[in-house]
Amino acid sequence: MPVFAYKGRSARGELVQGSLEGLDSGAIADQLLNTGITPTEIKLTSQAMRSGTTPEQISLWKRLSTEKKVDTLELMLFSRQMYTLLKAGVPIMRALAGLQESTRNPVFSAMLQDLRESLDSGRELSTAMRRHPKVFSPFYLSMVQVGEMTGMLDQTFLRLYEHLEFEKDMKERIKSAVRYPMFVVIAMAIAIVIVNIFVIPAFVKVFEGFHAELPLMTRVLIGFSNFMVTFWPLLLAVLVGAVVGFRSWINTVDGRYKWDRYKFHIPIAGRIIMKATLARFARSLALSFKSGIPIVQGLNTVALVVDNEYMRSRVEQMRDGVERGESILRTAAATGVFNPTVLQMIAVGEETGDMDGLMFEIAGMYEREVEYEIKSLSANIEPIMIVLLGGLVLILALGIFLPMWDLGKAALH
């Protein structure tokens, strides 16, 4: 029997991983759900392949789960089309069949085929979607399940489309925020390498003909250049080792938590990442409130959606506080990530019972701040870049041209 490795979240949001034997991923997902674990990833292990299991023996949707993850844009289009079709009164089976015929992605088409087969066998849509954890996130599944329970599945797909659009926009803004600083740092590093390996060695031959003591700055530059020219393989190996070590470290639970926490303290870009993450949290929580998901379940689901381990721990802290009977305001204040204005809005939301509306307001406020921060990012970075480049040029000028200047003065005398 095939062996599958799985990762998931317990009812308290804790990360759980291990391996189970089953006929396919659906059986594994059902086992995990029955034990209170929400699967986030299920993979066929190499042990199962060695034991003689062939791809033909694996079900259609299991083969699909090993394929490339469906693009967010395609999932957005699927959500919007489902809303339109269901609102128009098209039966869900007919809607899925129409979408399957129109899609050009064979992976997505196979997933839709499996959804149709699952619905035809008597499963609910949310249960059928759970068989594809790489396509549908826990938040997406919870929303669909609530939509089925309330009879508002069409509106649920519309909200999911808006949520995915917002998530995509936030990710693009974060990438835009860190792209410029990274480009500047990389460009300066390349310039330093080129100068030390190609430019300074060319001047060394000229300096050797002076037969005079060189200035301290020149000797430092020559020494550093000689070190890079001689030991560049070692430096390259150290750089590659550092990158591999860093990636290995952030793949650990403790490493990922510390790195995600440090992201919020990166100069200039850190506050943009923080506000974008809080905007995503607030909008996700507002959407869960508006859809009728209980607050504890909503916080648990949002914790799985937030793409930051440090923020996830803060959301789980809020969930634990609410489970103990504390107010949302008190638990939010205890996390230390919300400013007084946001806390005041949460207090008003609790008093008026309009938490979803107030959380949407908070998300909008953070979204506007992120947009402003990104627009002013260039203005904040340019002075730093000018100072760094000016310092680099000054060091090179003093180190390279001072000996020539001294030689010129000696020749005049």
Side-chain angles (χ1 to χ4, degrees):
M1 185 175 292
V3 179
F4 296 90
Y6 68 86
K7 292 182 181 179
R9 295 278 175 178
S10 65
R12 298 183 58 83
E14 298 172 347
L15 179 64
V16 179
Q17 56 184 347
S19 60
L20 288 173
E21 289 187 359
L23 294 176
D24 53 30
S25 302
I28 301 299
D30 291 338
Q31 292 182 48
L32 294 173
L33 291 171
N34 290 336
T35 58
I37 297 175
T38 302
T40 58
E41 182 178 356
I42 301 177
K43 291 183 179 179
L44 182 68
T45 63
S46 57
Q47 176 184 350
M49 299 305 292
R50 289 193 302 267
S51 64
T53 303
T54 63
E56 291 73 21
Q57 294 172 314
I58 306 173
S59 64
L60 168 67
W61 75 270
K62 179 62 202 112
R63 294 200 303 271
L64 172 64
S65 68
T66 62
E67 297 282 351
K68 182 180 177 181
K69 186 177 181 181
V70 173
D71 186 75
T72 302
L73 191 61
E74 193 155 20
L75 189 58
M76 288 173 55
L77 182 61
F78 166 77
S79 302
R80 183 71 185 189
Q81 290 173 329
M82 285 296 292
Y83 160 71
T84 303
L85 292 170
L86 293 178
K87 186 179 180 182
V90 178
I92 189 169
M93 289 289 289
R94 185 176 168 188
L96 291 173
L99 293 179
Q100 183 182 357
E101 292 176 2
S102 62
T103 185
R104 297 182 179 180
N105 186 340
V107 176
F108 201 72
S109 176
M111 184 271 295
L112 293 175
Q113 175 65 28
D114 182 69
L115 291 182
R116 293 175 58 196
E117 292 175 357
S118 297
L119 291 174
D120 194 46
S121 63
R123 290 190 178 98
E124 295 181 342
L125 180 61
S126 57
T127 304
M129 286 180 169
R130 288 187 191 277
R131 294 161 59 91
H132 306 277
K134 287 192 174 183
V135 179
F136 303 106
S137 67
F139 183 81
Y140 199 105
L141 295 172
S142 297
M143 290 288 295
V144 171
Q145 186 175 18
V146 171
E148 289 176 322
M149 294 169 60
T150 58
M152 299 176 61
L153 196 56
D154 55 343
Q155 293 298 320
T156 298
F157 277 114
L158 176 61
R159 292 168 185 167
L160 284 170
Y161 166 77
E162 295 171 348
H163 170 75
L164 292 171
E165 185 179 36
F166 174 79
E167 287 281 297
K168 185 175 181 295
D169 181 56
M170 281 293 101
K171 289 180 180 179
E172 290 297 327
R173 291 186 180 189
I174 292 176
K175 290 180 181 178
S176 175
V178 300
R179 187 180 296 121
Y180 186 49
M182 291 298 298
F183 174 77
V184 172
V185 171
I186 293 173
M188 292 190 63
I190 294 174
I192 291 173
V193 171
I194 292 175
V195 167
N196 281 280
I197 292 181
F198 299 103
V199 177
I200 293 180
F203 280 92
V204 170
K205 298 178 181 179
V206 178
F207 295 154
E208 289 176 348
F210 291 172
H211 301 294
E213 185 178 358
L214 297 175
L216 175 62
M217 184 63 69
T218 305
R219 297 198 303 270
V220 171
L221 286 176
I222 293 175
F224 187 69
S225 175
N226 291 336
F227 176 79
M228 288 194 66
V229 171
T230 305
F231 297 102
W232 70 265
L234 177 62
L235 294 175
L236 182 61
V238 170
L239 178 61
V240 172
V243 172
V244 173
F246 175 75
R247 293 180 65 88
S248 300
W249 176 66
I250 63 175
N251 285 331
T252 63
V253 176
D254 184 60
R256 170 58 64 179
Y257 176 86
K258 291 180 179 178
W259 170 241
D260 284 346
R261 182 176 60 181
Y262 175 73
K263 286 180 183 177
F264 298 145
H265 301 285
I266 297 175
I268 302 177
R271 61 175 179 261
I272 299 177
I273 298 174
M274 166 68 89
K275 291 174 181 178
T277 304
L278 289 174
R280 294 172 61 192
F281 158 76
R283 185 170 288 268
S284 301
L285 189 59
L287 193 56
S288 66
F289 285 158
K290 190 173 183 179
S291 301
I293 298 178
I295 181 171
V296 174
Q297 183 182 348
L299 287 170
N300 188 53
T301 305
V302 171
L304 300 176
V305 176
V306 176
D307 189 22
N308 186 286
E309 287 298 326
Y310 176 74
M311 184 58 66
R312 178 176 291 125
S313 68
R314 302 281 80 81
V315 177
E316 291 172 349
Q317 180 182 337
M318 290 181 62
R319 179 205 60 205
D320 294 340
V322 172
E323 283 183 329
R324 292 192 300 267
E326 299 177 7
S327 64
I328 301 178
L329 174 62
R330 184 173 179 180
T331 57
T335 61
V337 296
F338 299 102
N339 61 41
T341 303
V342 174
L343 294 176
Q344 186 176 1
M345 294 177 71
I346 292 176
V348 173
E350 281 193 303
E351 291 177 4
T352 60
D354 187 27
M355 277 300 299
D356 55 340
L358 268 295
M359 293 304 289
F360 275 123
E361 290 291 334
I362 293 172
M365 182 188 70
Y366 277 126
E367 188 177 357
R368 289 188 294 271
E369 289 187 8
V370 168
E371 186 175 358
Y372 172 78
E373 292 281 0
I374 292 176
K375 287 181 179 179
S376 62
L377 183 63
S378 298
N380 294 330
I381 289 180
E382 283 176 2
I384 301 175
M385 182 180 64
I386 292 172
V387 170
L388 292 176
L389 290 176
L392 179 61
V393 172
L394 178 62
I395 292 173
L396 292 175
L398 290 176
I400 293 175
F401 295 110
L402 268 182
M404 297 181 179
W405 180 257
D406 292 342
L407 181 62
K409 289 194 297 182
L412 290 175
H413 292 292

